Amino acid sequence: MKDLDQINFISATIYFYGNGFPQTVAGKLMGNGGVFIKQFLKKFVSGSKIAFENCEIKQNDGSLIKSYNKIIYFK
């Protein structure tokens, strides 16, 4: 999770759901994703999930990663 501070999101949609989230929380990411995500860390428990959808990420070398999707499960 600490590495999210290093990611430069051009655009992305993020979802928090599963245990600890009685209702799905969705948000848009631009820039540093860690700032937005950290406010939800206290709700993370075993069974919580984060989904990143349609991410466009600018890497340190200036290249872009497009249409990146990822789900993170917490055990």
Side-chain angles (χ1 to χ4, degrees):
M1 295 301 294
K2 65 182 167 78
D3 292 338
L4 290 171
D5 287 336
Q6 307 298 316
I7 298 175
N8 183 8
F9 290 95
I10 303 300
S11 65
T13 302
I14 186 169
Y15 301 93
F16 301 91
Y17 60 102
N19 292 346
F21 297 91
Q23 295 183 330
T24 299
V25 175
K28 297 285 185 182
L29 295 178
M30 292 181 74
N32 182 319
V35 174
F36 177 77
I37 293 167
K38 284 182 181 180
Q39 66 184 315
F40 297 102
L41 286 178
K42 64 182 173 222
K43 293 185 175 187
F44 287 18
V45 296
S46 179
S48 296
K49 300 172 185 100
I50 302 174
F52 295 88
E53 184 177 80
N54 298 322
C55 297
E56 186 173 341
I57 299 168
K58 186 172 186 179
Q59 299 189 98
N60 291 338
D61 66 3
S63 64
L64 296 178
I65 299 173
K66 294 184 178 184
S67 298
Y68 179 78
N69 298 300
K70 176 103 174 159
I71 297 175
I72 301 172
Y73 298 94
F74 294 85
K75 292 185 176 186

